[in-house]
Amino acid sequence: MFGTDRRVLVLALARMADAVANSFLIVVLPLFIASGGVDITGLVGSTVPVVGLLVTEELLIGVVLSLFGLLNSFGQPFTGRLSDRTGKRKLYVLLGLALLAVASLGYLYTDDYTVIVGLRMLQGVGAAFTIPCTIALVNELATETSRGGNFGVFNTFRLLGFGFGPVVAGTVVEAGPYRFPVVGGLSGFDAAFLVAVVGALVSFGLVSLLVSDPEETNATAGEELGLAVRDPNGRHLLDPVFAIAVATLCLSVGIALFATLQGRINARLGQAPVLFGLQFAAVVIANVVFQIPIGRASDRYGRRPFLLVGSALLAPAVLAQGLVTTPVGMLAARTLHGVAVGMVYAPGLALAGDLTGEGQSGTQLSLLTMAFGLGTALGPLVSGYLVRFGFVVPFAFGGALGLVALGLVYTQVEETLPDAGGSAEAVPQD
């Protein structure tokens, strides 16, 4: 199906189910805490020791959401390296999914904020195992002539799950409470947590039954993390995989600038919240539409041209969001932004995979997934701070990051082409 290895397609479906479960909690947990389902009366109004920061409900919600992203992002190089050293991918994917399922189930049985924090941290650790090992599996199941297409399919299903989850989550919570003949009453929140559990278990079942580690995956890594910053070949200042990771960070910060500014955007454009939702989704929709064809085209025509064009589109697409004055203009800018992201992310993963040595996929590719996660965590903070200097300032900053990404790709990244032996090597662009 889609001209993709069956195991890659299974991983994509599993990642979609997992993404639905995770995106559920992004919507449900803030509502759960704000509804009074969690006891925070002793915390709100107090001050954080040393820094003297006043504790608010919003701060407590932010801590719960941010902990997942931080543990997930910073843990990935270590879990990726662990999978490299042991030569195991499937085992750690299953471990991560099990942790996600157990933590999601735990939300049904507590109203203690500190326990909620602990469960969210456990989920962050679970995602840190699942994400880099899944990406490494996709990379190792592909060849140089199919890697772009495989990553395109994988990212398409992941984005479908992440985009679809919040819509379903809101519906499930709103439609509660539920009555069942055997289990009795079930609140909308409990039903949503159960859906998250089911999503993780579906992923676990698919991977357990239909995915296996490639026979050629070997534990060849050393004791150190083995993440290079400088180019070991001396052709450039930066290691090309590290350069792609930094470009990915710039890209993901630009994506995440938008969500924080909903109120200001709606007021500026004179639009209803439903239009904001459509504009927000436009980046994901464009990604879903273009990921597979762009990935396939990068297998045929090379990765670097798509990285360059996509990076060049980022700056005007993000800046335009701070300049447009109509809902249609914002929708167009967001759609162009989504096309740019699609041209960078899948070919970037494929190029990094081309350059990754045997037994190094977990470590090297975790740089890109970590960078993407950090960017989506930092973006809302950046826009929330910069908007005080003017509406256009956060988007101008995001546009500047697009130029940084373009500069990195142009100066630090070379094309890769398969040699006669079937392995990829850098091809100088001079």
Side-chain angles (χ1 to χ4, degrees):
M1 188 176 181
F2 304 114
T4 303
D5 185 291
R6 173 185 59 83
R7 292 168 294 181
V8 171
L9 188 59
V10 171
L11 286 169
L13 290 169
R15 189 72 180 93
M16 180 176 71
D18 175 42
V20 168
N22 281 331
S23 62
F24 245 67
L25 297 177
I26 293 174
V27 173
V28 173
L29 283 177
L31 293 174
F32 185 49
I33 294 172
S35 72
V38 179
D39 183 11
I40 57 174
T41 53
L43 298 172
V44 174
S46 61
T47 57
V48 179
V50 182
V51 296
L53 183 66
L54 180 67
V55 176
T56 63
E57 181 182 284
E58 291 77 14
L59 177 63
L60 294 174
I61 291 172
V63 168
V64 167
L65 295 181
S66 296
L67 277 174
F68 174 85
L70 291 173
L71 286 172
N72 171 21
S73 297
F74 286 112
Q76 286 184 39
F78 299 95
T79 55
R81 191 58 168 177
L82 178 63
S83 74
D84 286 341
R85 290 182 60 192
T86 59
K88 304 292 184 183
R89 311 293 189 206
K90 177 179 176 179
L91 172 66
Y92 295 116
V93 172
L94 293 175
L95 172 62
L97 291 171
L99 291 176
L100 289 168
V102 169
S104 296
L105 186 63
Y107 293 124
L108 278 78
Y109 300 101
T110 185
D111 63 354
D112 188 287
Y113 178 77
T114 56
V115 176
I116 296 289
V117 168
L119 291 172
R120 197 60 175 154
M121 292 174 68
L122 184 63
Q123 288 186 310
V125 173
F129 275 103
T130 300
I131 293 172
C133 298
T134 304
I135 290 290
L137 265 175
V138 173
N139 183 60
E140 290 165 351
L141 291 168
T143 66
E144 286 80 11
T145 57
S146 67
R147 185 166 284 120
N150 280 0
F151 275 121
V153 170
F154 180 82
N155 285 327
T156 294
F157 279 87
R158 177 183 66 85
L159 288 166
L160 280 172
F162 189 79
F164 187 60
V167 177
V168 179
T171 303
V172 170
V173 171
E174 185 67 25
Y178 302 88
R179 299 292 302 178
F180 296 99
V182 178
V183 298
L186 199 64
S187 72
F189 291 114
D190 286 347
F193 293 139
L194 283 175
V195 171
V197 174
V198 171
L201 291 178
V202 168
S203 296
F204 188 97
L206 287 171
V207 174
S208 179
L209 295 174
L210 301 174
V211 176
S212 59
D213 288 322
E215 293 181 3
E216 62 272 17
T217 299
N218 297 311
T220 58
E223 292 298 323
E224 293 83 15
L225 272 176
L227 299 174
V229 176
R230 300 290 298 272
D231 186 358
N233 297 318
R235 287 197 291 261
H236 304 288
L237 176 64
L238 300 177
D239 177 76
V241 175
F242 181 80
I244 296 171
V246 177
T248 301
L249 176 65
C250 296
L251 169 116
S252 59
V253 169
I255 294 173
L257 293 171
F258 194 73
T260 310
L261 306 177
Q262 177 174 178
R264 293 202 179 215
I265 290 170
N266 289 342
R268 175 182 171 85
L269 303 182
Q271 64 181 20
V274 66
L275 286 176
F276 178 88
L278 181 59
Q279 293 156 357
F280 183 85
V283 171
V284 175
I285 293 170
N287 258 288
V288 168
V289 171
F290 288 100
Q291 281 277 313
I292 294 177
I294 287 173
R296 293 273 170 75
S298 77
D299 289 332
R300 184 171 184 178
Y301 301 108
R303 324 289 189 204
R304 191 170 182 264
F306 293 95
L307 286 170
L308 287 171
V309 174
S311 299
L313 288 175
L314 279 175
V318 177
L319 178 59
Q321 294 169 47
L323 299 175
V324 296
T325 57
T326 65
V328 173
M330 182 63 81
L331 183 62
R334 293 286 294 172
T335 301
L336 181 63
H337 191 180
V339 174
V341 171
M343 297 185 77
V344 173
Y345 196 56
L349 278 170
L351 181 54
D354 293 340
L355 295 168
T356 296
E358 183 179 9
Q360 301 289 321
S361 293
T363 304
Q364 294 293 324
L365 296 182
S366 70
L367 273 178
L368 275 69
T369 54
M370 178 183 73
F372 194 89
L374 280 177
T376 54
L378 291 173
L381 299 176
V382 170
S383 61
Y385 175 75
L386 291 179
V387 74
R388 69 185 64 187
F389 303 107
F391 180 81
V392 73
V393 174
F395 298 105
F397 179 78
L401 290 180
L403 294 177
V404 171
L406 177 61
L408 286 169
V409 173
Y410 185 76
T411 62
Q412 306 297 315
V413 178
E414 297 176 351
E415 185 59 89
T416 57
L417 293 173
D419 62 18
S423 61
E425 59 181 10
V427 179
Q429 301 299 309
D430 300 331

